[in-house]
């Protein structure tokens, strides 16, 4: 059997719980099988190397990626953690920076046509990941089983309302296959949260803290089996303390089942010490929330950066744009938030959120949601056009091609702004109001590019005369200075 190219997934019949694939070089990868209804079991495999692969059912012939392959995950491979553990890289070592949106409720509310519209918008703006609750987690949520009706939603487990994950609705996951395929086709990595531990969809008694850890772990393994042969990030703790027994059980199971070493971590509620399981082998990253009230609190990210052993850090949920009332965290607020948190130590990447989008509110008048989190007068379609998403997406575009691998906050090389040093000695500075930047390290490269982060335009390029010369800018507007 021939496969088009490396990293492209293939689905095969499975007759055992695990299926081993061996490359002609001797490299072996083991993938878990998954149940797909009735007596059907399948295994999905994405070959990371071109050449011949053998398995119990025969032989696979895999080609190199075409030179014009546009999807970075097929051209460079899936994400994994960097050598220093602070950032993302593709499998071939290409630097990567997470630029994620929060469309938490998409899996049980959205239709394929809606996801195509959403994904095209996010891809065009520069996003490369989407945070998703894989199932509707509120045990007391009620509504029709219809994604097109007010308060309607699809159900992943028939017994989730009772705090269990044993009665799987396999048609739900077959539908989710289609939605996630659309995201991946648009270069958007699904960030998979199994069952939420915090507010959930409507704040109605989430199942994530109730289901037995063994059932939670089994579901995590199912997610790896069904969706792990494509780009993925695993968020085994969602909006909790991190100490929930389900989190550790799920993290260990993902670590054991995932042969591609895709990132696994925890997303915390705002009011918590974000360092649970810091020394666990399965833990790759820690994500904080800086709250939902429109305040910039990069200190939370900076505090997490100091935790040891080293894990990657990001602000996984800043204030949602227009959440609760019009004007909250709107517009450039989101751009300043993203650059501030990145420079404070959130070097895994940045995340954006919009009120009414994360709930996938069907239309501006749909009832049944918490007013605190809704954007007034907006459904999901209106929310994808909020101005702030453009600025967050631009961050990834501005730093595309910059050696971001294991860059670190640096307060020693300049006196102005928020700064990052790259592993190769480069310097990135963000200043909210621009202006000249004094440089106090003679090793900072003389060449510079100065960018307006509001539109991505290059406002100046040049080379400083001496190591003591400042980076020139007249000030009065946000600026990013890049010296490589």
């Amino acid at each position: 059997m021939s496969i088009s190219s490396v990293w492209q997934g293939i689905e095969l019949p499975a007759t055992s719980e695990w299926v081993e694939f061996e490359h002609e070089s001797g490299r072996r990868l083991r993938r878990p099988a998954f149940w797909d209804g009735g007596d059907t079991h399948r295994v999905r495999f994405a070959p990371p190397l071109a050449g011949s692969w053998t398995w119990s059912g025969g032989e696979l012939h895999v080609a190199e990626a075409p030179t014009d392959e546009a999807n970075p995950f097929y051209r460079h491979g899936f994400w994994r953690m960097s050598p220093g553990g602070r950032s993302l890289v593709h499998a071939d070592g290409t630097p990567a920076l997470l630029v994620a949106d929060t469309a938490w409720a998409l899996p049980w509310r959205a239709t394929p046509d809606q996801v195509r519209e959403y994904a095209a918008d996010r891809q065009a703006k520069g996003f490369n990941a989407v945070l998703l609750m894989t199932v509707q987690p509120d045990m007391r949520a009620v509504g029709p089983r219809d994604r097109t009706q007010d308060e309607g939603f699809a159900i992943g487990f028939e017994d989730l309302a009772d705090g269990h994950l044993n009665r799987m609705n396999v048609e739900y996951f077959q539908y989710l296959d289609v939605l996630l395929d659309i995201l991946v086709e648009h270069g958007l990595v699904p960030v998979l949260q199994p069952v939420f531990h915090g507010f959930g969809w409507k704040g109605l008694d989430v199942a994530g803290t109730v289901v037995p850890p063994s059932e939670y772990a089994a579901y995590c393994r199912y997610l790896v089996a069904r969706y792990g042969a494509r780009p993925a990030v695993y968020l085994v703790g969602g909006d909790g303390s991190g100490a929930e027994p389900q989190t550790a059980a799920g993290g260990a199971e993902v670590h054991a089942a995932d042969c591609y070493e895709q990132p696994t971590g925890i997303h915390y509620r705002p009011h918590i010490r974000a360092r649970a399981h810091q020394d666990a082998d399965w833990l790759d990253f820690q994500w904080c929330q800086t709250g939902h009230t429109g305040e910039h609190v990069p200190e939370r990210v900076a505090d997490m950066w100091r935790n040891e052993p080293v894990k990657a850090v990001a602000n996984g949920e800043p204030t949602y744009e227009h959440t609760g009332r019009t004007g909250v965290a709107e517009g450039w607020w989101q751009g300043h938030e993203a650059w501030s948190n990145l420079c404070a130590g959130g070097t895994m990447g940045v995340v954006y959120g919009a009120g009414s989008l994360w709930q996938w509110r069907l239309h501006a008048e749909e009832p049944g949601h918490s007013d605190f989190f809704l954007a007034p007068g907006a459904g999901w379609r209106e929310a994808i056009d909020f101005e702030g998403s453009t600025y967050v997406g631009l961050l990834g575009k501005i730093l595309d091609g910059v050696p971001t691998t294991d860059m670190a906050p640096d307060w020693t090389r300049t006196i102005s702004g928020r700064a990052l040093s790259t592993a190769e000695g480069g310097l990135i500075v963000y200043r909210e109001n621009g202006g000249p930047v004094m440089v106090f390290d003679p090793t900072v490269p003389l060449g510079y590019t100065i960018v307006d982060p509001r539109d991505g335009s290059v406002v100046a390029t040049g080379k400083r005369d001496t190591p003591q010369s400042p980076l020139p800018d007249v000030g009065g507007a946000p600026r990013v200075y890049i010296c490589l």
Side-chain angles (χ1 to χ4, degrees):
M1 180 186 298
S2 295
I3 301 179
S4 58
S5 63
V6 293
W7 297 108
Q8 297 273 3
I10 184 172
E11 184 175 276
L12 302 164
T15 57
S16 59
E17 192 173 355
W18 293 91
V19 180
E20 188 171 89
F21 298 84
E22 183 173 359
H23 188 253
E24 59 189 72
S25 66
R27 181 177 178 183
R28 295 180 180 181
L29 294 177
R30 190 177 71 147
R31 291 283 297 143
F34 64 93
W35 176 66
D36 202 28
D39 295 326
T40 302
H41 291 80
R42 308 184 192 277
V43 64
R44 290 174 175 170
F45 176 62
L49 298 174
S52 176
W53 290 83
T54 56
W55 66 298
S56 58
E59 188 172 4
L60 307 173
H61 300 283
V62 183
E64 296 282 2
T67 55
D68 60 350
E69 175 59 66
N71 191 308
F73 300 99
Y74 300 146
R75 187 168 71 252
H76 301 296
F78 300 163
W79 280 341
R80 61 182 57 184
M81 301 312 299
S82 61
R86 290 294 195 183
S87 61
L88 297 172
V89 294
H90 289 273
D92 68 358
T94 300
L97 190 68
L98 176 104
V99 184
D101 191 21
T102 42
W104 289 118
L106 178 154
W108 65 87
R109 299 223 82 195
T111 66
D113 286 344
Q114 292 171 347
V115 175
R116 288 188 188 94
E117 181 180 352
Y118 166 80
D121 178 90
R122 272 12 193 183
Q123 181 184 39
K125 287 177 176 173
F127 288 88
N128 58 19
V130 186
L131 276 61
L132 305 170
M133 303 182 199
T134 58
V135 292
Q136 195 289 112
D138 290 353
M139 293 187 287
R140 291 191 290 116
V142 295
R145 293 197 184 199
D146 188 336
R147 296 167 184 263
T148 66
Q149 291 190 41
D150 283 4
E151 300 192 65
F153 59 96
I155 293 176
F157 290 90
E158 299 293 343
D159 54 349
L160 183 143
D162 300 320
H164 287 281
L165 302 174
N166 295 317
R167 295 170 56 202
M168 176 179 289
N169 179 359
V170 74
E171 291 81 10
Y172 173 90
F173 293 96
Q174 292 167 343
Y175 197 101
L176 186 57
D177 283 346
V178 177
L179 304 186
L180 299 192
D181 279 342
I182 294 168
L183 295 177
V184 172
E185 287 166 8
H186 288 80
L188 299 170
V189 177
V191 180
L192 302 173
Q193 206 295 312
V195 189
F196 225 49
H197 299 100
F199 184 81
W201 184 31
K202 298 183 178 183
L204 302 173
D205 300 337
V206 289
T209 59
V210 175
V211 298
S214 60
E215 295 177 20
Y216 192 89
Y219 179 45
C220 286
R221 176 175 162 179
Y222 186 85
L223 293 174
V224 173
R226 186 154 203 138
Y227 302 113
R230 65 178 77 189
V233 172
Y234 301 103
L235 204 60
V236 293
D239 198 40
S241 69
E244 296 83 3
Q246 296 83 1
T247 298
E253 191 67 27
V254 169
H255 185 69
D258 175 31
C259 63
Y260 298 112
E261 300 180 350
Q262 299 200 76
T264 304
I266 300 174
H267 168 82
Y268 292 89
R269 66 171 69 106
H271 48 287
I272 204 70
R273 175 74 166 147
R275 58 163 294 114
H277 310 293
Q278 191 76 23
D279 60 352
D281 291 340
W282 58 262
L283 184 76
D284 296 316
F285 64 83
Q286 303 273 36
W287 288 358
C288 68
Q289 291 184 61
T290 51
H292 299 289
T293 54
E295 297 172 290
H296 299 293
V297 196
E299 295 87 350
R300 289 180 183 263
V301 179
D303 184 56
M304 292 174 67
W305 171 270
R306 302 182 184 96
N307 288 342
E308 292 183 344
V310 165
K311 305 292 179 180
V313 174
N315 176 14
E317 208 172 348
T319 300
Y320 293 109
E321 190 165 13
H322 299 301
T323 189
R325 62 178 174 82
T326 301
V328 172
E330 68 175 331
W332 175 245
W333 188 98
Q334 296 288 340
H336 176 68
E337 172 80 348
W339 284 101
S340 298
N341 283 301
L342 181 76
C343 293
T347 53
M348 186 173 179
V350 296
V351 180
Y352 167 80
S356 293
L357 174 60
W358 75 262
Q359 303 99 324
W360 210 266
R361 191 186 194 190
L362 298 188
H363 57 85
E365 305 303 324
E366 186 190 15
H369 298 279
S370 168
D371 290 338
F372 179 82
F373 280 120
L374 286 176
W380 73 268
R381 283 185 177 87
E382 292 80 14
I384 64 174
D385 292 328
F386 289 168
E387 179 187 353
S389 63
T390 299
Y391 303 128
V392 180
L394 275 171
L395 185 149
K397 292 185 176 183
I398 291 168
L399 294 181
D400 185 32
V402 173
T404 54
T405 302
D406 289 324
M407 61 185 179
D410 195 325
W411 306 101
T412 67
R413 307 174 84 189
T414 75
I415 199 171
S416 306
R418 307 172 186 272
L420 293 160
S421 284
T422 71
E424 295 82 6
L427 182 68
I428 301 166
V429 180
Y430 166 66
R431 295 195 74 189
E432 184 177 7
N433 297 302
V437 174
M438 302 300 296
V439 179
F440 295 93
D441 184 343
T443 68
V444 172
L446 297 178
Y448 62 82
T449 300
I450 303 176
V451 180
D452 186 334
R454 299 169 300 176
D455 59 14
S457 64
V458 176
V459 299
T461 60
K463 187 174 183 179
R464 292 179 296 132
D465 294 331
T466 71
Q468 291 74 39
S469 301
L471 295 165
D473 184 69
V474 296
R479 291 290 184 262
V480 173
Y481 312 74
I482 302 173
C483 302
L484 299 175

